[in-house]
Amino acid sequence: QSVLTQPPSASGTPGQRVTISCSGSSSNIASNYVHWYQQLPGTAPRLLIYRNNQRPLGVPDRFSGSKSGTSASLAISGLRSEDEAHYYCAAWDDSLSGRVVFGGGTKLTVL
Amino acid sequence: EVQLLESGGGLVQPGGSLRLSCAASGFSFSNHAMSWVRQAPGKGLEWVATISGRGDRTYYADSVKGRLTISRDASKNMLYLQINSLRAEDTAVYFCAKDAYGSGIDYLDDWGQGTLVTVSS
């Protein structure tokens, strides 16, 4: 049971816009930054969005992030076949003695 | 270019111990916190532990607290994870990851390719 809640799957056709949600609580998303990681099949995760809505160098502007209260979202516009991957949200959690919490991951399928 | 190279994984019997290593290069090692994140077969990412850049603070997931020890050697640019009393549920690929800053409570901007730990008799 992940501390952050994501839908297990999402899908879209090429060119479409899809969003993936991430729900948390006052001790994580509401009070800390949210980050998103992309994991292509058989590879290590890579940073996709950091600090809610910032893109690292090399990440296309088709990817965007947002946060409101205890929830965050990742949006992918102009969907491409190479976007088919698992997406994970993550945040620092202030409860206990501090920890990193991940969402359970969302498998994005490009139809 | 940042490089993180994990090693030390393998097949271990339940109850055994293992030390994973991560060789870091391409950045100022002591200026960055480092983390271990694991992924069981077919499952999602699970944060395991983080150590601050100076090594003076450590954070552990409740699920592993008491059995795992994260450490670092600044003179060798090495990160370690000692795992004791291994259980079947510790079977996973273990990724070494670099934090963007020194505190350990920010994002992981570089990841290694992972090392597989299999716990089985």
Side-chain angles (χ1 to χ4, degrees):
Chain A
Q1 204 83 342
S2 302
V3 174
L4 304 182
T5 301
Q6 296 181 237
S9 63
S11 63
T13 56
Q16 259 190 337
R17 182 178 187 270
V18 297
T19 61
I20 296 172
S21 63
C22 175
S23 177
S25 67
S26 58
S27 63
N28 42 67
I29 290 180
S31 51
N32 295 291
Y33 290 120
V34 176
H35 319 298
W36 291 89
Y37 300 92
Q38 178 193 57
Q39 188 175 30
L40 298 170
T43 70
R46 74 152 177 162
L47 180 67
L48 191 67
I49 296 288
Y50 66 97
R51 294 190 172 184
N52 303 335
N53 55 19
Q54 303 299 300
R55 279 187 309 277
L57 287 174
V59 173
D61 59 7
R62 301 186 296 105
F63 295 90
S64 61
S66 63
K67 187 184 97 167
S68 178
T70 60
S71 294
S73 291
L74 171 71
I76 310 171
S77 60
L79 199 61
R80 304 176 68 160
S81 58
E82 56 261 40
D83 298 334
E84 188 160 291
H86 281 87
Y87 294 85
Y88 297 89
C89 60
W92 183 259
D93 189 291
D94 295 322
S95 64
L96 306 175
S97 36
R99 55 179 179 167
V100 175
V101 290
F102 279 95
T106 298
K107 173 65 165 78
L108 174 64
T109 301
V110 181
L111 303 169
Chain B
E1 180 195 1
V2 172
Q3 290 197 354
L4 300 170
L5 185 61
E6 302 95 335
S7 61
L11 176 62
V12 188
Q13 290 193 336
S17 298
L18 205 59
R19 188 176 85 155
L20 306 181
S21 300
C22 173
S25 62
F27 64 100
S28 181
F29 187 64
S30 296
N31 286 347
H32 295 269
M34 299 292 295
S35 295
W36 288 97
V37 176
R38 69 183 181 183
Q39 186 170 38
K43 301 297 184 181
L45 301 175
E46 179 189 15
W47 170 76
V48 172
T50 293
I51 186 167
S52 62
R54 287 186 289 189
D56 55 345
R57 279 167 291 144
T58 56
Y59 307 91
Y60 295 96
D62 281 350
S63 59
V64 303
K65 200 171 289 186
R67 294 192 302 117
L68 273 66
T69 303
I70 188 171
S71 62
R72 62 194 297 160
D73 185 335
S75 67
K76 297 179 180 178
N77 282 9
M78 294 291 294
L79 175 72
Y80 303 102
L81 185 69
Q82 177 72 36
I83 315 175
N84 299 325
S85 304
L86 277 155
R87 308 165 179 169
E89 52 265 37
D90 294 319
T91 295
V93 173
Y94 286 73
F95 295 102
C96 159
K98 166 184 161 287
D99 196 282
Y101 297 96
S103 65
I105 62 172
D106 220 311
Y107 52 96
L108 302 172
D109 58 356
D110 286 285
W111 296 65
Q113 288 306 301
T115 186
L116 175 62
V117 173
T118 303
V119 183
S120 175
S121 54

